[in-house]
Amino acid sequence: ASLLRMKVLLRLANHGETIEKFATGRTEKKLVTAMFDDFSQSDFNPEEDMFGILHSMSEDRALALKKHVEALYPNVDIYMSFLPAALSGHAGNGTIVFQWFGNSKKYTN
């Protein structure tokens, strides 16, 4: 993937028990588009749900993703943090994790 400059989008499947390849592309824009196309077909509700963006030494790209999310969903809550060291060690610097938390406001009120 590095030689061809391919980027891979992975997602948790089977209720978090497995990790599957969701999409591949040469640009982040293609992967972000695929990700949000998938959200549009889900039961995502920006009034109740929340996103998490975690990164490994890639704060500039994480902030750009946050701006993109805010443009699409102005009222959604977004949590940002560093990717834990154990995951950063496996995935490498530059990794970004994007999480969707369903019904977060139901649990925080």
Side-chain angles (χ1 to χ4, degrees), residues 1-102:
S2 297
L3 181 64
L4 298 174
R5 298 180 192 233
M6 295 295 290
K7 299 180 185 300
V8 180
L9 181 62
L10 304 173
R11 75 170 166 187
L12 292 177
N14 300 318
H15 304 286
E17 293 183 12
T18 60
I19 298 174
E20 297 179 354
K21 181 173 72 169
F22 178 69
T24 58
R26 292 187 189 262
T27 66
E28 273 186 41
K29 183 177 181 179
K30 181 178 178 181
L31 297 181
V32 169
T33 299
M35 190 169 53
F36 284 101
D37 285 348
D38 190 54
F39 284 133
S40 69
Q41 297 173 15
S42 70
D43 60 349
F44 172 72
N45 180 349
E47 300 299 322
E48 294 181 1
D49 300 341
M50 175 179 180
F51 287 120
I53 301 173
L54 293 85
H55 66 90
S56 176
M57 305 300 290
S58 190
E59 188 172 10
D60 55 337
R61 290 174 45 233
L63 288 171
L65 180 58
K66 182 180 181 202
K67 285 183 182 182
H68 182 76
V69 172
E70 290 171 336
L72 290 173
Y73 306 108
N75 297 324
V76 73
D77 289 329
I78 303 170
Y79 167 80
M80 289 192 64
S81 184
F82 292 101
L83 193 61
L87 295 175
S88 293
H90 287 285
N93 288 342
T95 299
I96 294 181
V97 173
F98 190 75
Q99 301 172 309
W100 162 30
F101 301 95

